[in-house]
Amino acid sequence: MRRALLLLKRRAISSIPVLLIVIVGTFLLLEAAPGDAVDAYLLSIGGGDAALVASLRASYGLDQSTLARLWLYLTALAHFDLGWSVTFGRPIVDLILERLPNTLWLMGSALALSFSLGSILGVVAGARPGSATDRFLSIGSLALYAVPSFWLGLVLSVVFSVQLRWFPIAGIETIASGKHGIDRALDIARHLVLPVSALGFIYLALFLRMMRSGMAEAWRQDYALAARAKGLGRPRIVIRHIARNALLPLVTMLGLQAASMLGGSVVIESVFAIPGFGRLAQEAVAGRDAPLLIGIIVTSAVLVILVNLLVDITYALLDPRVGAAEAAA
Amino acid sequence: MSMQLATLRDLSVLYRSGSTTRPALASVNLDIVAGERLAIIGESGSGKSTLALALAGLLPDNAERTGQIAWPGLGRPPVPGGDIGFVFQDPGSSLNPVLRIGEQIAEVARRHLGLGWRAAHGRALELLARVRIPQPKAALAAYAHELSGGQRQRVAIASAIAAGPRLLIADEPTSALDMVVQAEIVALLDELVRADGMTLLFITHDIALASGFADRLAVFSDARLVEAGTSAEVLARPQNAYTRHLIGSHIDLATPPLIAGATQ
Amino acid sequence: MSLLRRLLGTPEGAVGTVILCLLVLAALLAPVLFPADPLSIVGPALVPPFTDPSLPLGTDRLGRDVLAGLMHGAGTSLAVGIAAAAMAMIAGSLVGTLAGLAGGLVDEALMRVVDAFQIVPSFLLALAFVSVTGASLPVVITAIALGAWTGPARLARAEVLSIRERDYVAAARVLGMRPLEIAFREVLPNALPPVMALSSVIVAISVLTEAALSFLGLGDPNIVTWGSMIAQGRNVLRSAPFLSILPGIALMLTVLGVYLFSEGLADALARRRSRA
């Protein structure tokens, strides 16, 4: 535990400059956009006179220099203030906090599904490398890995929502259902089945393939031969000696995929009309709402950093060799 | 005539990779006498490790075995781990890096002695003390990377003898270690097999090291058994040119036991 | 030559090569077989597939030829995938090599930038970039490359760091070669092959990202892409699901072809090395 905490502290400190680069970079990128939120707003209300434009610009601080506004933005950010969304007419922090849970549920369930199912199937495939089961799972996972997730989402909704009517076609829960507690949870779960499958299946294939190749690698190690020489039962060798070692790179991959999964949920949320974080990003793009888009990108970077810190702790707990030198020092 | 633990008759092993085959052992005939310390000597690629793997039933999938291995001393096929303990060359890689030392010893006792986990860990503690690991209790909860090379090999030996095997196979158990530790490990193996009446198959490229404590030597070259006999015989009157070459390249003032044996 | 034969000798390599060849063929034949703009209307709307010989795969809800769209889309997908991957590989290799050779503060700063790009979801970044600069083919390619160059950069840096310590570089230094000369004549040629091995995965990811962007309506509106075909088919998903399903299958086959090809190639290269 001490190793894990030391590691955590070091990683957390080293991610601060990285986050700063993200904030400044995103700010400057969106600064380059032709037109700003006021233009978009004027377009939506059908134009206005020069005095209105100037007062609007001044009220959003848009009349100052880029550097001055960057400084304003950073100081506001230090107080967890992400600014004001013109499109929604609300504070950006409120919007993000409102939408984030839906995305976290979607991502979390998809990660849990793909990681658990992928590693279990990977163990099945890697238990006997080269067997018929192994070949089948390898080829099947490669095919699955090539499926675009948004298209898979459409196909799943055609089959299971339109044809079979097993699952709702869109949304995160039944609107105005008046459900509470466990009923509401079940309702949300039913809405999440298809989007989670669409988002998770690709990663399932990825984890399966990694687990399988990790096991093939572990079988070639001396400790695998030693376990066989000890005459241990097959399940114990496969699970405790082989899979236990093959699991380590999977945990690392979990952290590496966090960002890509967050990106993937943008498209999936659009397919299933889930009012989440990704959908918010799309709405920000459509409304030319640069501050909102910056807020979304910065929040997602923080999210990815947090997931990676969690992954680092897990890894340190699973692999006794990690950080041993620092802890001893 | 003492009792034979195992007899090898016309044993051959081929390794197949793609369309090519490579003989690793060719028509080997050898008896392993119960209770003896038999040293298998040869250079890398001579087939000595293949012999060890064949005896323990650990040949890889691409190996083809012909000939016979019989176990008159057991009267049944041997149980790996239970009847045969195996010590590998490099304990740094033969111990599982992510499992505690205690579990890696206890799992053998649990599997072959029918103990529960608690009793098996008790047995592991005794074994760690027996192979003279300092602070055996702490070592139970340690991981391989926390021990020195010599300590790791002691742990590997403890797990190899955990089920009280009849035969202990040690495949170059000291070549990954430095000279001082080498001598300690050889002394430990010697002591353990004497105390428990185990048969020891000691595989090495170092004829001087082997002749220091082995009862018999079997010399392998190019997949063939070229010479076998008691240590004294082989050293004093080597029949085979290759054996003479091996001895010749090793006899010097630094290895007094060799000279003492040779002049008997 | 023998590498090609070995590539075709593996089942993965053979299937992958065939799929990719068919795609290239489709892309090349598209302007010959369907010289008209694939976005132009050629017949009645929503003709089901396999009913009209002149429109083998039917038409979409505006009466555009689905087969023509698919074949023209193959070109777009391949072009965007390859261009974005090439851009990412070149940019990544340059940054990685520079970081590895310069060391010190430059290295530290460049790698923090790489970190920053890695913690921002690349799809969100592409979304933001396209929305800022406006959707056109070069912009889409750049947007995709923006999210893909960090892998090659990290790998190139690692390679350069390991090569820098090797004997022939030290020898070149002793011989008095200038640092840049060493970089381009000794280090870069040796660092590139492992980085090139990443290219197929990046092509596959780029093809998928392009499709997702145009599915969301952020692709070039004047070019037919599989992603936009899927998006338009979505409006009539209940009555004419094939409009979305066909381009999806094409997309999946393309990505699968790239993966199979790269697996076969890796196999063939590994065997050549083991024989050498």
Side-chain angles (χ1 to χ4, degrees), chain A residues 76 93 131 157 187 194 250 284 308:
Chain A
V93 173
S131 65
S157 70
D187 183 47
L194 294 184
L250 246 72
N308 274 292

Side-chain angles (χ1 to χ4, degrees), chain C residues 143-171:
Chain C
I144 296 170
L146 269 182
W149 66 278
T150 53
R154 271 186 192 286
L155 194 60
R157 175 176 175 272
E159 285 296 317
V160 166
L161 285 183
S162 92
I163 288 168
R164 213 166 63 157
E165 305 308 320
R166 282 183 213 158
D167 292 347
Y168 53 83
V169 176

Side-chain angles (χ1 to χ4, degrees), chain C residues 46-249:
Chain C
L46 292 174
V47 174
F50 312 121
T51 52
D52 182 345
S54 68
L55 298 165
L57 292 180
T59 58
D60 68 3
R61 69 193 180 107
L62 294 178
R64 296 178 292 202
D65 188 345
V66 172
L67 182 60
L70 282 181
M71 287 181 69
H72 279 277
T76 316
S77 275
L78 285 179
V80 172
I82 292 168
M87 201 168 175
M89 305 287 298
I90 292 170
S93 305
L94 284 179
V95 172
T97 307
L98 184 64
L101 284 175
L105 261 179
V106 177
D107 179 28
E108 186 68 21
L110 285 176
M111 291 325 282
R112 290 297 80 75
V113 172
V114 169
D115 285 343
F117 271 89
Q118 273 184 329
I119 60 166
V120 173
S122 47
F123 192 73
L124 271 183
L125 185 62
L127 210 69
F129 188 77
V130 173
S131 79
V132 167
T133 28
S136 71
L137 210 50
V139 166
V140 169
I141 290 169
T142 313
I144 296 170
L146 269 182
W149 66 278
T150 53
R154 271 186 192 286
L155 194 60
R157 175 176 175 272
E159 285 296 317
V160 166
L161 285 183
S162 92
I163 288 168
R164 213 166 63 157
E165 305 308 320
R166 282 183 213 158
D167 292 347
Y168 53 83
V169 176
R173 212 170 283 145
V174 171
L175 284 174
M177 276 168 86
R178 276 169 299 134
L180 265 184
E181 208 178 336
I182 296 177
F184 283 103
R185 294 198 24 200
E186 305 290 337
V187 176
L188 207 55
N190 290 294
L192 274 185
V195 179
M196 289 304 290
L198 278 179
S199 58
S200 57
V201 178
I202 297 183
V203 170
I205 291 175
S206 303
V207 168
L208 286 175
T209 310
E210 186 279 326
L213 280 175
S214 48
F215 175 74
L216 291 185
L218 288 164
D220 189 328
N222 302 313
I223 295 175
V224 63
T225 68
W226 291 339
S228 61
M229 288 174 77
I230 295 175
Q232 281 155 15
R234 202 184 154 187
N235 298 316
V236 284
L237 202 55
R238 284 161 199 266
S239 52
F242 71 94
L243 285 178
S244 284
I245 288 176
L246 284 177
I249 290 174

Side-chain angles (χ1 to χ4, degrees), chain B residues 183-260:
Chain B
E184 287 172 13
I185 294 291
V186 170
L188 176 67
L189 283 171
D190 191 42
E191 175 196 320
L192 291 171
V193 293
R194 270 178 206 280
D196 292 4
M198 279 184 283
T199 309
L200 175 67
L201 197 73
F202 190 89
I203 294 160
T204 180
H205 63 276
D206 187 344
I207 194 168
L209 182 74
S211 55
F213 72 102
D215 303 315
R216 283 204 305 147
L217 305 181
V219 182
F220 279 76
S221 173
D222 272 341
R224 293 180 185 281
L225 172 64
V226 294
E227 182 156 10
T230 64
S231 300
E233 262 172 31
V234 172
L235 288 178
R237 289 176 294 280
Q239 302 297 309
N240 183 281
Y242 176 72
T243 317
R244 278 196 292 276
H245 159 75
L246 271 185
I247 298 172
S249 60
H250 262 97
I251 291 184
D252 55 44
L253 294 174
T255 51
L258 251 176
I259 297 168

Side-chain angles (χ1 to χ4, degrees), chain A residues 286-329:
Chain A
R288 292 200 166 277
D289 197 337
L292 181 56
L293 203 50
I294 299 175
I296 287 168
I297 289 179
V298 171
T299 312
S300 61
V302 172
L303 212 60
V304 171
I305 289 175
L306 289 179
V307 170
N308 274 292
L309 288 178
L310 250 147
V311 163
D312 283 341
I313 298 178
T314 315
Y315 195 99
L317 293 179
L318 282 176
D319 188 344
R321 289 163 295 186
V322 171
E326 287 96 332

Side-chain angles (χ1 to χ4, degrees), chain A residues 35 42 71 76 83 106 119 184 187 197 259 282-283 291 308 328:
Chain A
L42 290 175
W71 180 247
L106 174 63
S119 55
R184 179 161 179 243
D187 183 47
S197 308
Q282 241 193 305
E283 285 157 355
N308 274 292

